[in-house]
């Protein structure tokens, strides 16, 4: 065995620091572990569903969805056998609907290729739709005990602060550095517990604003705390301004002033944003167009129908990740043309009280809530 040299000293110091971090975190986690519904069962399927929901949703919001989803689809087989419409309906309101489509697709792949059991290693997990490096690491380490790291927003924040990492964790160089560090830091055979501890520390103590450093198990080991740099780490590159679009939606009635009146709804194409969800037909207002002109054009292009424009109904503001919209809903009456699914996957006329059966995006859901409270008294242009 070779003798230790002076050059080995930094490595030994680093190994000592890593060991101290592992010890402090795991000891703290024994008493501070969050009691979350998916931690009460060791079922990889439940952990998978929870981790996918948590990708873009806060724990508090995700819990009721998780519980409903698990009671509706209790295992991979039931999820694979369900229709996409049913899965989207169970996901309605959570946003980022690609997650639901990918879950459904991945469940079918798991039944087809793995006998209905999630694969245990990271590489096979990452081949399933919607499972990226974070989710694969979480499932492999927490559900199967594999020595795999995870990096989510909470873990990235803790590591950037403890190790004073200046790179933006949302960009490739910063992300790569964090993955290497997280792997080096991982304790052998307790990776799942260690990953949970890092996630819990970031969620409850090392929070984005006002971290509770005095209560933190890493307070004596943390560079950001020692240098007073907690608020400047992690580094955030300036965001691009978020664009805004005006969008029109037609409340297209098949007959006016009748309790029997039905509304036209369309289903978005599978590969479009919000694919598979239903909506009121319409689209983006082009420069120089009035709202009414945009609506008439969109209904011709999307469905080959003609409408009589009625009164404006309601305006809804909604923010997506990369843009914001103002949705202008306008009453219309269908006057000519059988709808054709030209720029949508499907269409139908539905009674207002039946709209709850379909999965709609949040902005349309707000229109429906208002519609169901509003008596139908619309004046059509050109009619008294
Ligand atoms: Fe975060 Fe403060 Fe703990 Fe450092 S000491 S990890 S900044 S809470």
């Amino acid at each position: 065995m070779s003798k230790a040299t002076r050059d080995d000293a930094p490595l030994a110091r680093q190994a000592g620091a890593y060991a101290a971090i592992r010890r402090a975190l795991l000891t703290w986690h024994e008493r501070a572990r969050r009691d979350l519904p998916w931690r009460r069962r060791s079922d990889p399927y439940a952990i998978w569903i929870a981790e996918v929901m948590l990708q873009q949703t806060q724990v508090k919001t995700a819990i009721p969805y998780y519980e409903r989803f698990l009671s509706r689809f209790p295992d991979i087989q039931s999820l694979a056998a369900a229709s996409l419409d049913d899965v989207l309906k169970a996901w309605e309101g959570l946003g980022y609907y690609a997650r639901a489509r990918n879950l459904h697709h991945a469940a079918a792949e798991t039944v087809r290729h793995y006998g209905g059991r999630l694969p245990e290693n990271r590489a096979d997990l990452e081949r399933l739709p919607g499972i990226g490096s974070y989710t694969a690491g979480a499932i492999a380490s927490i559900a199967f005990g594999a020595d795999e790291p995870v990096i989510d927003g909470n873990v990235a924040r803790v590591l950037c602060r403890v190790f004073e990492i200046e790179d933006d964790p949302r960009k490739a160089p910063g992300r790569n550095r964090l993955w290497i560090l997280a792997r080096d830091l991982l304790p052998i055979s307790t990776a799942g517990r260690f990953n949970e501890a890092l996630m819990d520390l970031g969620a409850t103590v090392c929070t984005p604003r006002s971290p509770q450093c005095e209560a933190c198990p890493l307070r004596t080991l943390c560079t950001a705390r020692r240098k007073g740099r907690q608020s400047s780490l992690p580094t955030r590159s300036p965001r691009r301004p978020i664009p805004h679009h005006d969008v029109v939606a037609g409340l297209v009635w098949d007959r006016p002033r009748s309790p029997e009146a039905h509304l036209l709804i369309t289903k978005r194409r599978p590969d479009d944003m919000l694919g598979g969800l239903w909506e009121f037909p319409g689209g983006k207002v082009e420069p120089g167009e009035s709202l009414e002109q945009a609506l008439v054009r969109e209904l011709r292009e999307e469905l080959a129908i003609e409408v009589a424009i009625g009164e404006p109904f309601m305006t809804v503001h909604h923010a997506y990740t990369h843009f914001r919209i103002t949705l202008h809903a306008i009453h219309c009456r269908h006057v000519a043309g059988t709808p054709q699914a030209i720029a949508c996957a499907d269409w139908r006329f539905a009674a207002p009280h039946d709209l709850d059966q379909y999965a709609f995006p949040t902005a349309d859901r707000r229109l429906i809530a208002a519609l169901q409270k509003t008596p139908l008294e619309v004046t059509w242009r050109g009619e008294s």
Side-chain angles (χ1 to χ4, degrees):
M1 192 186 294
S2 65
K3 281 190 183 162
T5 66
R6 195 180 301 183
D7 291 345
D8 294 329
L11 279 178
R13 269 203 302 280
Q14 186 187 60
Y18 286 6
I21 288 171
R22 290 180 200 121
R23 254 194 326 272
L25 258 180
L26 288 169
T27 306
W28 168 80
H29 201 236
E30 276 168 25
R31 62 181 163 75
R33 186 177 192 238
R34 285 181 295 171
D35 177 29
L36 300 170
W38 43 92
R39 289 184 178 173
R40 291 177 209 140
R41 42 195 287 181
S42 55
D43 175 3
Y45 171 71
I47 291 165
W48 173 38
I49 300 298
E51 291 300 340
V52 170
M53 286 189 174
L54 295 173
Q55 283 168 7
Q56 275 111 351
T57 307
Q58 300 214 328
V59 167
K60 210 167 85 192
T61 309
I63 286 175
Y65 279 95
Y66 165 84
E67 285 173 342
R68 277 198 300 274
F69 199 91
L70 264 279
S71 66
R72 178 79 184 75
F73 311 110
D75 49 34
I76 291 181
Q77 286 74 9
S78 57
L79 180 58
S83 71
L84 179 59
D85 282 341
D86 283 349
V87 176
L88 288 170
K89 184 67 192 162
W91 203 267
E92 189 183 35
L94 257 188
Y96 299 94
Y97 292 89
R99 293 182 295 174
R101 291 193 298 275
N102 283 331
L103 270 178
H104 185 238
H105 188 180
E109 295 275 294
T110 305
V111 168
R112 196 172 309 128
H113 298 299
Y114 300 102
R117 294 165 63 92
L118 276 177
E120 297 191 10
N121 67 74
R122 174 188 283 275
D124 286 340
L125 284 164
E126 285 189 23
R127 278 190 205 106
L128 291 171
I131 299 191
S133 42
Y134 165 74
T135 311
I139 297 170
S141 65
I142 297 169
F144 297 118
D147 292 327
E148 292 289 350
V150 296
I151 298 286
D152 68 354
N154 287 323
V155 175
R157 185 168 56 257
V158 172
L159 296 182
C160 284
R161 286 174 174 168
V162 172
F163 292 94
E164 199 184 20
I165 293 171
E166 304 280 359
D167 303 302
D168 184 341
R170 290 177 307 182
K171 302 225 152 119
R175 249 194 336 263
N176 294 341
R177 201 170 155 196
L178 286 171
W179 276 106
I180 292 168
L181 175 60
R183 190 169 283 285
D184 288 348
L185 206 50
L186 211 61
I188 301 301
S189 78
T190 48
R193 210 51 197 250
F194 183 75
N195 288 336
E196 279 187 359
L198 269 175
M199 291 189 257
D200 285 358
L201 189 77
T204 61
V205 177
C206 191
T207 46
R209 276 177 225 98
S210 314
Q212 301 161 45
C213 297
E214 295 320 305
C216 178
L218 305 184
R219 62 190 174 281
T220 59
L221 302 157
C222 175
T223 311
R225 176 178 177 264
R226 185 158 44 81
K227 296 188 177 178
R229 297 207 52 210
Q230 298 94 321
S231 58
S232 63
L233 292 169
T235 303
R236 293 270 179 238
S237 312
R239 283 179 188 263
R240 287 203 207 107
I242 295 182
H244 170 268
H245 306 296
D246 281 296
V247 174
V248 275
L251 304 179
V252 182
W253 298 92
D254 59 351
R255 64 201 102 170
R257 298 195 185 90
S258 157
E260 308 298 314
H262 287 64
L263 273 165
L264 182 59
I265 57 173
T266 51
K267 190 184 209 180
R268 292 180 68 86
R269 293 181 291 199
D271 295 333
D272 288 350
M273 184 187 159
L274 305 172
L277 270 72
W278 291 84
E279 65 179 1
F280 296 108
K284 226 189 273 181
V285 181
E286 299 292 348
E289 274 184 326
S290 68
L291 299 179
E292 289 82 0
Q293 286 168 337
L295 184 53
V296 168
R297 174 185 55 74
E298 285 285 347
L299 294 173
R300 278 183 192 144
E301 288 174 4
E302 188 178 337
L303 293 149
I305 59 167
E306 299 295 328
V307 296
I309 297 285
E311 298 161 359
F313 172 63
M314 185 179 172
T315 299
V316 171
H317 301 280
H318 189 72
Y320 295 95
T321 316
H322 300 298
F323 60 92
R324 291 176 297 113
I325 62 163
T326 302
L327 180 65
H328 307 269
I330 301 173
H331 285 291
C332 313
R333 183 162 56 83
H334 179 214
V335 293
T338 301
Q340 296 166 43
I342 299 168
C344 58
D346 198 0
W347 63 271
R348 69 191 53 171
F349 279 101
H353 57 265
D354 285 338
L355 294 175
D356 291 339
Q357 295 170 17
Y358 301 88
F360 282 88
T362 302
D364 293 66
R365 190 43 75 197
R366 286 172 61 192
L367 298 179
I368 292 169
L371 265 172
Q372 290 173 337
K373 281 194 225 144
T374 314
L376 177 58
E377 285 173 12
V378 181
T379 305
W380 307 102
R381 204 159 280 181
E383 298 176 2
S384 55

